[in-house]
Amino acid sequence: MGNSNNKLLAALLTGAAIGGALGILFAPDKGSETRKKISDKGHDLTEAAKDKFNALASKFKKEVETMKGKTGEMADNGKAVVENL
């Protein structure tokens, strides 16, 4: 995922959070109901952020493993070149 895609996703999530919060705040409910809705929405957004973080962490881990493999390959190739000198 490119940097511009991450920015777009962040902007969409921010817009959704603001829109949801405004919708809840202007709804004609009792204070206790409004607080519960805000709490529930906050929980939902926290879970979405955790899921996004876990996906990015997983992708990062895969990239690190790929780089480790390539580094090992390069080291082996370097050894072979030195041994053949």
Side-chain angles (χ1 to χ4, degrees):
M1 196 178 266
N3 193 23
S4 62
N5 288 341
N6 288 339
K7 287 181 182 179
L8 176 63
L9 181 60
L12 289 173
L13 288 174
T14 301
I18 291 170
L22 288 174
I24 291 169
L25 290 173
F26 288 107
D29 286 331
K30 296 187 328 183
S32 60
E33 282 297 314
T34 300
R35 286 190 298 275
K36 181 174 178 355
K37 287 180 181 180
I38 290 171
S39 175
D40 291 346
K41 182 59 85 174
H43 177 57
D44 292 345
L45 290 173
T46 300
E47 289 301 313
K50 284 181 186 177
D51 291 344
K52 179 69 176 169
F53 175 80
N54 289 335
L56 288 173
S58 177
K59 183 177 178 180
F60 179 74
K61 184 178 177 182
K62 287 178 186 176
E63 291 294 327
V64 168
E65 292 300 320
T66 299
M67 290 175 70
K68 282 183 183 178
K70 288 181 180 179
T71 302
E73 253 181 63
M74 289 171 56
D76 292 342
N77 290 340
K79 281 182 188 178
V81 167
V82 171
E83 289 172 357
N84 290 326
L85 290 179

